Amino acid sequence: MFGIVRPCSHRLGEGLRAQWMAHLCGLCLALRRDHGQFARVVTNYDGLLISVLAEAQAGPVEGSRRTAGPCALRGMRTASVAQGEGARLAAAVSLILASAKVRDHVADRDGLLARRPVALAARRVAASWGKAGAHSGAAVGFDTAVLVDAVERQTGIEALAGYGTPLLTVTEPTETATAAAFAHTAVLAGRPGNADPLAEAGRLFGRLAHLLDAVEDREADARSGAWNPLTATGTSLTEARRLADDALHGIRLALREAEFTDGRLVHLLLAHELSRSVDRAFGGHSCGHAPEASFGPPPGHQAPPAPGNPYGNPFGGEPPRPDKRGFWAGCAAALGVCCTCKVCCADEYEGPWSRKKREGWCGDCDCSCCEACQCCECCECCSCCDC
């Protein structure tokens, strides 16, 4: 389970935590029901936002919840979980993006994937997930071709990008994909007027996801020589933080324009917790306006261009990342993390594939910081976060 929106259960409160868990378990079980047990490894925190958005607009409807059986991640307790078109859309998006991630690992020959038999098996898994995601998307009226196209364009853009390339050129495919997924929740909920503001919120969420991933991977990528958007384009942390703060503000403005039956969980996740994710990635609560040296070649230095590379990126693409786990090793690690309940109980655990440090659900519980914002429990929008 991966993603940038990882709320602490204590900050959610009992009511919103139950809703959040219902969507998380609903996504996991939708993957199992439609695509088999193994597909559950693509369950992720950000994917459940699709399910949350759909329900927040439509409100509680008959058949939107069911009682699920005992699960180790719930302490072997039963629970009410989300089901329906929102969960199926979340599953479709998760499968398509996981398929792309597997293909990327195969192309980079990461870990065990450097071996031909393993790479062949991984390609088959990726192809299977891609078809399954397309099938699930079609079942709820969503054309996943926009996601597949974004993934394919991302590879080409990264191969051409270099020092001086605008960072938003690199993040554009991710923005386009998330905008389409967010907007389709308005269609599922029968609120066509929400499509435009949610597309804008999705576009900016995609930008943030790409930015924060680049910031968190920057040092590891520098050690391994892997391609990183910030280093390759010469973008400073100050500029990256400015773009992240602008995206946060834009998401809050977009949410104001959308109409929700019950938007409390959406507001808490996309306004409060997303802001915490930005602070966590940049290592503090600074506004990001302090002077900061840029990464990459110094001003005036022209890196030697790679053949067929008009932007002058000396790498020409993303080389292997030896510090990350391969696909199958990551799957094994994911099962271990889930079965030992580290994902919910540990203060910190290692991401199964990225090996980045992750916070457990109950980690970093400085709950006092939210005491002044109890209005989140009773309204869709609060002034304390300028949203």
Side-chain angles (χ1 to χ4, degrees):
M1 290 180 278
F2 49 92
I4 63 174
V5 183
R6 306 190 297 274
C8 167
S9 60
H10 291 73
R11 286 195 296 264
L12 287 171
E14 184 176 350
L16 294 183
R17 181 183 183 277
Q19 289 186 40
W20 187 77
M21 284 296 297
H23 290 285
L24 180 62
C25 295
L27 169 57
C28 181
L29 294 175
L31 288 164
R32 186 193 69 176
R33 182 181 63 251
D34 294 341
H35 311 293
Q37 285 282 2
F38 187 63
R40 299 172 78 178
V41 301
V42 309
T43 302
N44 65 95
Y45 297 139
D46 294 345
L48 72 89
L49 288 173
I50 303 297
S51 180
V52 170
L53 281 168
E55 184 175 88
Q57 296 170 82
V61 296
E62 185 177 355
S64 63
R65 288 284 193 274
R66 73 177 181 87
T67 300
C71 175
L73 288 179
R74 295 192 300 267
M76 299 308 295
R77 293 187 296 268
T78 61
S80 175
V81 303
Q83 64 175 356
E85 292 186 328
R88 296 190 72 182
L89 176 61
V93 171
S94 297
L95 282 166
I96 293 292
L97 298 183
S99 172
K101 188 178 185 70
V102 172
R103 291 198 300 270
D104 183 58
H105 279 301
V106 171
D108 288 345
R109 299 173 63 83
D110 286 342
L112 290 175
L113 294 177
R115 301 178 181 180
R116 184 173 298 178
V118 179
L120 179 60
R123 288 192 187 98
R124 290 178 177 173
V125 169
S128 174
W129 282 351
K131 291 178 181 178
H135 183 268
S136 289
V140 294
F142 181 61
D143 185 1
T144 57
V146 65
L147 305 184
V148 176
D149 175 70
V151 170
E152 292 176 349
R153 288 190 297 107
Q154 186 73 56
T155 303
I157 288 173
E158 290 183 359
L160 296 176
Y163 189 76
T165 302
L167 185 59
L168 297 188
T169 299
V170 179
T171 64
E172 180 275 323
T174 307
E175 296 177 21
T176 299
T178 50
F182 273 44
H184 195 69
T185 64
V187 177
L188 297 182
R191 290 183 180 266
N194 283 351
D196 287 343
L198 290 184
E200 177 67 4
R203 182 180 67 84
L204 294 172
F205 180 83
R207 177 181 301 177
L208 266 179
H210 205 133
L211 280 173
L212 299 191
D213 185 63
V215 170
E216 291 178 344
D217 285 352
R218 181 176 57 88
E219 293 184 359
D221 288 345
R223 288 193 298 269
S224 65
W227 193 91
N228 183 280
L230 300 181
T231 306
T233 61
T235 302
S236 67
L237 275 182
T238 301
E239 176 63 9
R241 181 63 192 255
R242 184 189 68 80
L243 291 172
D245 288 340
D246 286 349
L248 279 174
H249 185 62
I251 289 172
R252 291 166 178 168
L253 292 177
L255 292 179
R256 284 181 177 178
E257 301 299 320
E259 296 181 1
F260 299 101
T261 299
D262 182 356
R264 290 177 300 165
L265 185 57
V266 168
H267 175 75
L268 188 143
L269 294 177
L270 290 179
H272 290 272
E273 294 301 332
L274 194 54
S275 178
R276 293 179 186 277
S277 298
V278 171
D279 287 333
R280 182 167 56 241
F282 284 91
H285 300 276
S286 63
C287 62
H289 298 302
E292 174 72 37
S294 63
F295 301 104
H301 175 77
Q302 180 63 45
N309 183 352
Y311 289 114
N313 173 20
F315 297 116
E318 186 174 1
R321 297 179 175 182
D323 59 308
K324 296 187 177 183
R325 286 192 181 96
F327 173 69
W328 295 110
C331 290
L335 290 175
V337 168
C338 291
C339 292
T340 57
C341 293
K342 286 185 177 180
V343 70
C344 57
C345 301
D347 291 335
E348 191 177 73
Y349 65 94
E350 190 178 76
W353 286 276
S354 67
R355 307 194 78 163
K356 293 186 292 188
K357 295 298 182 182
R358 304 292 193 188
E359 294 179 0
W361 294 347
C362 297
D364 190 27
C365 286
D366 53 338
C367 303
S368 60
C369 63
C370 278
E371 291 177 356
C373 198
Q374 295 300 323
C375 50
C376 291
E377 293 288 340
C378 58
C379 68
E380 295 184 4
C381 203
C382 59
S383 59
C384 61
C385 60
D386 189 27
C387 51

